[in-house]
Amino acid sequence: MTVRIELRGLRKEFKDGTHVGPIDLTIEKGELVTLLGPSGSGKTTTLRMVAGFIQPQSGSLTFNGRDMTNVAPRERGIGMVFQSIALFPNMNVFQNISFGLDMEHWDRTQVTERVEELSRMLGIHGLLYRPISEVSGGEAQRVALARALARKPQVLLLDEPLSSLDPQLRDRLQMEIRKVQRSLGITTLYVTHNQAEAFAVSDKVAVMNDGVIIQTGTPEELYENPNSEFVARFVGSGNVFSGVVEEVRSDSILVRTDSYIFKVSGHRLAGSQVFFTVRPEDVRIELAESGMGAAATVQSVTPQVGSSRVVLDFDGNQVVSVVTDATMTSQLRKNGTSRVWFRFEPELAVLIG
Amino acid sequence: MKSQNVLAHLILYSPVVLLACFLIYPVSAVIIRGIVSGLGTSITNVLSSPVTLNAVSFSAYQAAISTLAAVVLGLPGAYLLARLRFGGKSVVRAAMVIPFVLPPIVVVVGFLQMFGPYGFVDSFVMAITGSNTSVVNLASGITGIVLAHAFYNAPLVILMVSASLERLSPDIEESAEILGASSIQKLRRIILPHILPALLASAILTYLFCFTSFPIVLALGGGAYSTLEVRIWIAFRIFDYGAASSLALVQILITIALAFSYYRLGGSRNYTIAPTSRIKQVGIDEIGGRHALLAVLYVVLLLVLVAGPIVAIVRAAVYDPVTEVYTWAGFASLLSAGLGGGLIPLVNSVFYAGTSTVLAVVLGLPLAYLHRRPGFTSSTLSSLTAFLPLGVSAITLAYGLMLCVVVPLGLSVNPWPAIVLAQTMIGLPFSARSIEIALRNIDPALLDQADLLGASRLQKLFFVELPLLAPGILVGAVFAFAMAIGEMSATYFIALPQNFTLTVAIYQDLGVRKFVEAGAAALVLVAVCLIAFLVIDKVTGKQSGGVL
C-alpha cells in the first residue's frame, strides 16, 4: 500500500528560540520529494517530525488522511536511513537487515527469503555474514537501505544518506536509490544540502531556508523560475542581478544596476526594486565593445565537459557564463584578467518574485 | 646519534627496570624463598588446608556479592548520568571520583559513624522505635564489607558505564525504534551489547579491588572474616613465611588474570562513537511522575550510601561516642608532636606521599611514551608494568621490600625509603595511565608542524609536548598522591612507630577506641581528597573517569 503524506502548518519551536515551520507539503503516492536547503534550515527537523522523533507543537501530519501526530515512530510504517548510517555494530549484515523482521516475529524461512531478496536487489549478497566493521562506506549505505526496506514500509525517509561518500560513489548510489524507489513505488522524503543530488533523484524539490519552505516544484521549475533571490542563488547558477525599474515598455522593462541598464522581458512598476536571474548558458561574452553589453572583468576560466565555465566580476558581483566556443575560450585564457562585455536576450532573463 | 639512541632507550625502559628491581624481584624473592626455605607451613599443606580454601572462597564470595551490589547500584546511576539533562552535571560526574580516592581506613571511619552502632542511621531508627540501645548495625560483618565495597565501586560503575552510554549514537537507537523495537527489545539488543564491554570492565575492576581488599575487611570484618590478603598479613605476623608466600602466590595468579582480562577489554571499549554531540537526553521536567519518583528514591539511596559516610566523618571528628560529648580533642591531638600525637604521622604522610608522587610521575612519563611506541613488545611491556602493581598484594610487596631493600641496605632502623617505594608502585598505574591518555590526545600533526618549523627533539619536548601533557601530568600526580597518602596496608607493614602515617594512625586509634583522634585524621584525609577532586575537575572538565 502506498501512502500520500500531508504536512499542514507543522511547527516546532526549540528552547533556544529557534523554530521550524509552519511547514506545508504534500508528498503524493509513490513520489520522491526532497527537502533541500543549507545546514540549519530545518530539513532534518521536518524529516524527524514525519518520523515521529520530534513532536510538533502545532499543525497536522497525515498518512492517507490518517492523523499520525500521536502515533509512535515504530508504528508509522516507516523505513529510515540516517546520515550516520547507524548500522548496529554488534551484529553482522544479515542480522542488521533482519532486525526489523525479528521485531515483528517473522518466520525464519520468510526472514531468510526477504533478506536474500533485498541483498540481491542491492548487490550486497556476498557480504551477508560480514561483521559491520568490515563493510565499506558504499556497502554500508546499501545495507542501511536494505534494513530500512526490509519490513516493506509505506514510507521511506532518507536523511543525507550519501553525504559521507566520495562523489563518484554518490553519483552511482543516488541512481540506485532512485531506481529502487521507482520500482517499489514507495513514497519517499529525502533530505540533502546538495543541489545536484536533489535534482538527480527527485520528482519534486522543496527548498528550505530559516525553517520554512520557500518554493516547491520540479527541478526544472526551480531552475527556470525561481521565486526568490534565495532560490535563484541556491539552486540556480547564482547569476542574480538587482536594480531599479527605470522605464516600462510594452513587453519589457529597463532595469538600472550600478553601472548598466539591462532590458528584461516582463512587467514591473517603474521605480520598483527588482531581482532577475539569467542562466549561465544564456550569458554571452564579447571581447570587443559593441555598445550592446555590460562591461566586466574575467575572474577565472575553468574547463568542464564540452565547455568552459567563465566567471566574471560585474560591479563586485559574480556572473557565470558557459562558453562552448573553443577559440573564445583560448582567447579569454590568453588575455588573463582582461576587460570583456557580456549580454543576454531580454526574454531569457527571469524576473524573480 | 648512536649514543643519543642508547640514552633514549635507557630513559624509556628505566621504569621497567626499576619495577623489576623494586616490585618483581622483591615479590618473587619473598614467594620463592617462602616456598623453598621450608620455614613454616609447606605449600602443599597450605593449598590443601581448609583455612586457605575458606579464605579463597570468602574472598571470591564477598567480591562477587560486592561487585553485584556495585553493579546493581551503579547501573541506574550510569543511565541517569548519561541520559538526564541537569545543571551541575559535570560536577556530579567529577565528584564520582571522590570515593575512589578516599583511603579505605577513612571510609571505615565514615561507615562506622554513618551505619555503625549509634551512628546516623542507627540513631534515626532508635528515635523511631523509641529504643535507647542500638538497633541496627550495618557497618559490621558481611553487610558492612559489601556496603563499603559498593560505596567504593558503584561510582566506578557509574562513571565507566555512563561514559560508554554517551558514546552510543542516538541514530542507532532511533534506527532500532523505527524498525519496531520496543523499549525492552532496544535495551536487550542494542544498549546492553553496547555497554557490555564497559560494564564487564568496571565489574572486573570492582571484583579485583574487592578481592584484594584489606583495611575494610580487617576493620569492619572484626577478625571473623578474612580475605586472602588478611590471611597473608596474619601469616607474616606469626612468621609463617611458607603460608604467607603460598597464599601470596595464589592471590597474584588470580589478580593478574583479572587485571589482564580488564586490560584486554579496554581495547574493545570505544566502538560506536557518536558523530556529533547530539546525545539522547531528557530534561528533569520531561520525565513522568512514576519515573521521577524512582529517580529521586535512587538518588536519595545513593546519597545515603555514598555521600553519607563522607559527611559523617565531620561528626566523627568532633563527637566522642565514648564520653558522648562534642570535643576538639581530635584536632588538638593532630597538632601534638608527642608520642601518640598526630603531627608526626601528618608530616610523614605528606612527605612520603609527596616523594612517591614525584617518583610516580617521573616513572609514569617514560612508561606512557613506551606505551605509545609502535610494536607489540614495548606497549605490552608498558601495560604490564603499569598494571602489575594493581595485581600484587600490597602486604607481599611490603614484605618483599623489607627483605630485599631494607635489610640489605641496613635501613631497619628507619625504613622510610621502602614506604616511599611501596607508595610509588601503588600510584604508578594511575600516573602512567593519565599521562598516556594525555599523550594519546596530542595531535601528531602538531609535532610534525614543530619539526617543520625547525624545532629540535628537545625543543619539541619542552615547548610543545610537555606543555600539552601538563594537565595529564597534573591529574596523574593528583591521583598518585591521593592513592599514596591513603595507602595503609604496605605502610603499616613496613613502618616503625616513627614512620606511622595518618592512615596507620587512624587504624591504631580505632583499635584503642580513640575515635575523635581517628575522626580528625580522617577528616584531614577527606579534605586532601576533596582538594584532589577539585584539581582533577578543574583540569579535566568532563573526562576525569578516563584515568580509571
Side-chain angles (χ1 to χ4, degrees):
Chain A
M1 187 181 70
T2 54
V3 162
R4 178 176 192 267
I5 304 175
E6 262 188 295
L7 290 73
R8 286 289 162 262
L10 218 55
R11 191 182 145 90
K12 167 75 187 175
E13 196 159 324
F14 292 98
K15 279 200 174 126
D16 61 359
T18 58
H19 64 88
V20 169
I23 303 281
D24 289 283
L25 183 68
T26 304
I27 310 167
E28 298 295 340
K29 289 184 177 181
E31 206 175 42
L32 192 157
V33 172
T34 295
L35 295 174
L36 172 67
S39 58
S41 59
K43 323 177 285 286
T44 296
T45 302
T46 306
L47 185 91
R48 290 169 65 79
M49 285 197 279
V50 175
F53 292 128
I54 295 180
Q55 197 64 26
Q57 265 125 1
S58 55
S60 73
L61 168 73
T62 57
F63 287 7
N64 279 346
R66 184 183 160 215
D67 182 41
M68 298 307 273
T69 26
N70 290 318
V71 177
R74 60 203 186 90
E75 279 148 24
R76 293 189 182 195
I78 283 173
M80 182 163 173
V81 176
F82 290 80
Q83 180 171 8
S84 63
I85 310 307
L87 293 175
F88 305 128
N90 53 322
M91 305 174 194
N92 65 21
V93 170
F94 185 102
Q95 290 164 328
N96 261 280
I97 300 175
S98 67
F99 185 88
L101 308 177
D102 293 345
M103 295 299 113
E104 274 187 345
H105 305 293
W106 278 37
D107 182 73
R108 211 59 229 160
T109 48
Q110 279 180 304
V111 170
T112 314
E113 262 170 42
R114 180 71 181 142
V115 173
E116 299 256 329
E117 178 191 347
L118 283 162
S119 60
R120 267 205 200 87
M121 179 168 85
L122 289 159
I124 45 175
H125 195 252
L127 30 114
L128 281 180
Y129 296 99
R130 261 199 224 162
I132 289 308
S133 54
E134 285 173 25
V135 298
S136 71
E139 289 164 350
Q141 206 54 254
R142 292 186 170 95
V143 176
L145 191 59
R147 185 178 70 175
L149 291 171
R151 296 210 304 175
K152 303 186 177 161
Q154 314 170 13
V155 173
L156 185 60
L157 303 178
L158 304 163
D159 183 7
E160 304 255 11
L162 306 177
S163 61
S164 59
L165 301 178
D166 61 70
Q168 279 90 357
L169 198 54
R170 194 185 307 162
D171 283 353
R172 232 180 51 218
L173 272 166
Q174 70 198 20
M175 287 307 133
E176 282 183 33
I177 289 178
R178 184 61 173 147
K179 212 175 81 192
V180 169
Q181 188 267 337
R182 278 258 167 83
S183 69
L184 298 177
I186 181 171
T187 312
T188 302
L189 186 59
Y190 193 106
V191 161
T192 181
H193 62 270
N194 183 325
Q195 176 258 337
E197 192 177 313
F199 280 18
V201 299
S202 314
D203 292 309
K204 245 168 36 189
V205 176
V207 181
M208 290 193 75
N209 191 31
D210 281 341
V212 289
I213 293 178
I214 305 215
Q215 188 177 5
T216 308
T218 63
E220 292 75 21
E221 280 164 4
L222 293 176
Y223 190 68
E224 315 248 322
N225 277 306
N227 71 352
S228 61
E229 188 192 354
F230 177 81
V231 175
R233 285 194 194 280
F234 199 74
V235 308
S237 58
N239 285 345
V240 178
F241 299 83
S242 72
V244 176
V245 179
E246 173 102 349
E247 192 186 323
V248 180
R249 296 188 179 170
S250 58
D251 59 345
S252 63
I253 52 177
L254 296 185
V255 180
R256 170 182 288 281
T257 67
D258 285 349
S259 62
Y260 193 75
I261 298 174
F262 291 100
K263 187 177 174 193
V264 177
S265 298
H267 188 80
R268 285 291 188 280
L269 288 178
S272 60
Q273 170 88 30
V274 293
F275 292 95
F276 63 91
T277 173
V278 185
R279 297 187 306 181
E281 50 271 38
D282 297 331
V283 175
R284 288 220 322 266
I285 293 178
E286 287 164 354
L287 295 170
E289 180 161 21
S290 63
M292 297 289 285
T297 48
V298 176
Q299 256 183 357
S300 67
V301 182
T302 319
Q304 55 186 32
V305 183
S307 62
S308 283
R309 184 172 185 269
V310 181
V311 178
L312 306 175
D313 179 7
F314 170 63
D315 286 348
N317 296 318
Q318 268 196 2
V319 175
V320 181
S321 166
V322 172
V323 177
T324 43
D325 179 358
T327 18
M328 168 73 92
T329 305
S330 62
Q331 196 66 41
L332 283 169
R333 279 185 171 282
K334 206 160 39 174
N335 293 355
T337 56
S338 67
R339 198 167 179 77
V340 293
W341 287 263
F342 73 91
R343 50 185 282 208
F344 47 83
E345 298 304 324
E347 57 273 18
L348 293 177
V350 178
L351 280 165
I352 295 171
Chain B
M1 195 63 204
K2 189 113 196 222
S3 66
Q4 236 182 346
N5 249 334
V6 172
L7 187 69
H9 273 89
L10 223 61
I11 294 174
L12 271 183
Y13 287 94
S14 60
V16 181
V17 174
L18 286 174
L19 264 113
C21 291
F22 297 121
L23 182 75
I24 299 171
Y25 167 61
V27 170
S28 26
V30 168
I31 292 173
I32 293 166
R33 194 195 278 217
I35 292 172
V36 300
S37 69
L39 288 171
T41 324
S42 75
I43 183 160
T44 42
N45 282 342
V46 171
L47 289 182
S48 57
S49 138
V51 180
T52 310
L53 193 67
N54 270 341
V56 173
S57 63
F58 178 72
S59 297
Y61 163 75
Q62 60 82 18
I65 305 223
S66 301
T67 305
L68 192 68
V71 167
V72 168
L73 200 65
L75 270 184
Y79 196 79
L80 287 179
L81 191 62
R83 291 297 160 86
L84 208 58
R85 194 168 37 222
F86 57 93
K89 190 168 176 168
S90 68
V91 179
V92 171
R93 192 192 314 264
M96 294 288 162
V97 179
I98 297 178
F100 190 79
V101 292
L102 274 182
I105 194 68
V106 170
V107 175
V108 166
V109 173
F111 255 73
L112 290 172
Q113 189 62 237
M114 186 72 193
F115 300 110
Y118 304 103
F120 279 126
V121 173
D122 195 21
S123 308
F124 185 65
V125 178
M126 279 162 67
I128 290 175
T129 56
S131 160
N132 46 21
T133 51
S134 167
V135 183
V136 283
N137 177 10
L138 297 173
S140 75
I142 186 87
T143 322
I145 294 171
V146 168
L147 277 182
H149 285 161
F151 162 91
Y152 258 104
N153 297 298
L156 188 74
V157 174
I158 293 179
L159 273 181
M160 289 175 69
V161 174
S162 72
S164 158
L165 258 178
E166 280 170 2
R167 284 193 299 263
L168 176 62
S169 159
D171 289 355
I172 299 252
E173 280 186 64
E174 287 176 354
S175 294
E177 244 169 80
I178 223 156
L179 290 167
S182 66
S183 301
I184 300 285
Q185 285 168 318
K186 206 171 71 180
L187 191 71
R188 200 170 59 83
R189 306 258 329 233
I190 308 296
I191 298 179
L192 270 184
H194 174 84
I195 61 169
L196 200 61
L199 185 63
L200 278 179
S202 67
I204 290 177
L205 212 52
T206 301
Y207 195 88
L208 182 65
F209 290 143
C210 298
F211 192 86
T212 56
S213 176
F214 173 65
I216 285 175
V217 177
L218 196 63
L220 295 181
Y225 300 96
S226 46
T227 53
L228 264 179
E229 185 81 347
V230 173
R231 295 257 32 119
I232 296 169
W233 185 68
I234 293 171
F236 276 128
R237 296 219 21 180
I238 58 171
F239 306 107
D240 187 347
Y241 298 123
S245 308
S246 315
L247 291 169
L249 184 64
V250 172
Q251 170 153 321
I252 284 173
L253 291 178
I254 295 173
T255 51
I256 284 184
L258 288 171
F260 189 70
S261 48
Y262 167 76
Y263 167 66
R264 287 310 291 264
L265 275 171
S268 63
R269 226 189 290 168
N270 309 319
Y271 77 144
T272 323
I273 294 161
T276 61
S277 56
R278 192 165 62 88
I279 290 161
K280 211 175 163 74
Q281 286 187 332
V282 289
I284 292 181
D285 48 326
E286 292 164 49
I287 46 177
R290 208 163 55 90
H291 289 115
L293 186 69
L294 279 176
V296 167
L297 279 177
Y298 170 77
V299 171
V300 169
L301 179 69
L302 204 64
L303 281 176
V304 168
L305 182 66
V306 178
I310 302 177
V311 176
I313 290 170
V314 177
R315 184 172 182 244
V318 291
Y319 179 73
D320 188 343
V322 182
T323 56
E324 295 186 18
V325 288
Y326 285 90
T327 165
W328 293 107
F331 292 98
S333 148
L334 206 54
L335 293 174
S336 99
L339 195 70
L343 195 60
I344 292 170
L346 182 64
V347 173
N348 281 344
S349 281
V350 174
F351 173 64
Y352 299 155
T355 316
S356 57
T357 301
V358 172
L359 287 174
V361 169
V362 168
L363 292 178
L365 267 170
L367 214 51
Y369 272 93
L370 196 63
H371 189 81
R372 301 303 296 159
R373 265 168 78 96
F376 178 75
T377 335
S378 347
S379 94
T380 312
L381 203 59
S382 149
S383 308
L384 213 64
T385 314
F387 270 108
L388 214 49
L390 283 181
V392 171
S393 131
I395 305 281
T396 316
L397 170 64
Y399 186 70
L401 287 172
M402 292 291 278
L403 201 68
C404 303
V405 178
V406 174
V407 176
L409 297 181
L411 297 169
S412 308
V413 187
N414 190 357
W416 70 268
I419 296 178
V420 169
L421 280 174
Q423 294 188 354
T424 305
M425 297 302 144
I426 282 148
L428 187 59
F430 299 93
S431 63
R433 177 131 175 85
S434 170
I435 295 169
E436 198 262 311
I437 289 172
L439 201 58
R440 195 188 310 163
N441 290 339
I442 294 181
D443 183 357
L446 229 47
L447 301 179
D448 292 345
Q449 186 63 42
D451 247 350
L452 290 174
L453 293 171
S456 72
R457 182 76 197 92
L458 279 183
Q459 282 171 323
K460 212 163 69 176
L461 183 67
F462 281 102
F463 295 123
V464 185
E465 287 182 89
L466 284 182
L468 287 171
L469 284 181
I473 293 175
L474 185 59
V475 170
V478 167
F479 257 103
F481 185 80
M483 297 317 281
I485 204 167
E487 207 290 322
M488 185 188 113
S489 326
T491 311
Y492 188 31
F493 195 89
I494 300 169
L496 297 173
Q498 86 265 16
N499 304 113
F500 278 4
T501 60
L502 281 183
T503 49
V504 176
I506 293 170
Y507 180 68
Q508 297 256 318
D509 287 343
L510 284 180
V512 295
R513 300 176 66 79
K514 285 163 76 179
F515 291 113
V516 277
E517 286 82 353
L523 193 61
V524 170
L525 289 175
V526 169
V528 169
C529 292
L530 282 180
I531 293 168
F533 145 72
L534 287 174
V535 171
I536 293 170
D537 181 43
K538 188 94 190 145
V539 175
T540 59
K542 278 186 161 187
Q543 295 116 23
S544 45
V547 183
L548 311 175

